[in-house]
């Protein structure tokens, strides 16, 4: 799954997606009951299943080891957040040590952050992004605090259907 995670866009959900290169697996189908699989998954276990001997292997649900919230349990959500953090770290690190902290520098930094957010939203990596604040740290005058609010795409894990007659 790690290789598949690297080849897909960071916001791509993995639940029910297939993995190529394998023809079978042991001790998933028929060995555990649905209740046991649910229990394992509820503890943060990523489970690969094969619905029949000729079917491809697929992810049962893209769970991480922290299932305390949807933001922490869904692999595509945590992967997107990690990806966005890395993009910002790379972009902002290029400005460290080369400039004095002045209002024009803060304005240019603000423009760069907003441009990155716009790119990430337009590319579909984020559903929304906003620069919340950019300011010099009150205790460390050589440090700039940048705060960004992001919204990530969520996987469609459940579809609730109501039939009315």
């Amino acid at each position: 799954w790690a290789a598949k995670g690297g080849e897909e866009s960071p916001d791509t959900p993995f639940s029910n997606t297939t993995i190529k290169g394998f023809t079978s697996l042991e001790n998933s189908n028929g060995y555990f009951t649905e209740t046991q699989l649910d229990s394992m998954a509820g503890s943060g276990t990523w489970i690969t299943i094969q619905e029949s001997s000729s079917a491809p292997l697929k992810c049962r649900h893209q769970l991480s080891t922290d299932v305390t919230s949807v933001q922490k349990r869904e692999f595509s959500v945590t992967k997107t957040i990690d990806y966005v953090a890395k993009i910002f770290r790379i972009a902002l690190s290029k400005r460290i040590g080369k400039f004095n902290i002045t209002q024009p520098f803060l304005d240019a930094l603000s423009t760069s952050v907003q441009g990155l957010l716009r790119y990430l939203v337009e590319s579909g990596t984020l559903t929304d992004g906003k620069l919340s604040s950019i300011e010099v740290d009150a205790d460390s005058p050589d440090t700039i605090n940048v705060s960004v609010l992001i919204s990530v795409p969520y996987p469609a894990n459940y579809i609730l259907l109501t039939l009315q007659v």
Side-chain angles (χ1 to χ4, degrees):
W1 291 108
K4 188 169 178 74
E7 93 178 300
E8 300 286 346
S9 171
D11 57 295
T12 302
F14 278 14
S15 295
N16 292 313
T17 60
T18 59
I19 183 169
K20 299 174 186 172
F22 297 93
T23 56
S24 66
L25 57 94
E26 296 180 21
N27 298 335
S28 184
N29 299 66
Y31 188 81
F32 296 107
T33 66
E34 282 296 312
T35 302
Q36 290 171 322
L37 289 172
D38 288 343
S39 178
M40 285 187 283
S43 299
T45 303
W46 184 299
I47 300 171
T48 303
I49 60 170
Q50 187 176 25
E51 293 176 330
S52 72
S53 60
S54 61
L57 276 60
K58 70 179 188 176
C59 171
R60 185 172 188 263
H61 189 156
Q62 60 163 2
L63 293 174
S64 73
T65 55
D66 185 348
V67 294
T68 57
S69 70
V70 69
Q71 292 85 1
K72 293 180 180 180
R73 77 172 171 245
E74 296 294 332
F75 180 62
S76 63
V77 173
T78 59
K79 187 172 59 154
T80 299
I81 294 167
D82 289 346
Y83 174 79
V84 169
K86 184 174 185 175
I87 292 293
F88 273 99
R89 277 194 308 274
I90 291 169
L92 297 177
S93 70
K94 294 175 183 176
R95 296 175 180 260
I96 293 173
K98 297 179 181 179
F99 303 94
N100 289 323
I101 299 174
T102 63
Q103 191 56 51
F105 174 71
L106 293 174
D107 292 343
L109 199 57
S110 174
T111 300
S112 295
V113 168
Q114 292 177 55
L116 274 172
L117 287 168
R118 188 171 35 261
Y119 164 76
L120 291 166
V121 170
E122 289 173 359
S123 69
T125 303
L126 295 176
T127 56
D128 196 18
K130 177 182 154 192
L131 174 60
S132 177
S133 66
I134 186 166
E135 59 192 15
V136 178
D137 189 276
D139 298 323
S140 284
D142 65 341
T143 301
I144 299 169
N145 297 321
V146 178
S147 179
V148 176
L149 299 172
I150 61 171
S151 297
V152 298
Y154 286 94
N157 286 329
Y158 307 99
I159 298 174
L160 303 177
L161 173 65
T162 302
L163 299 177
Q164 297 179 343
V165 181

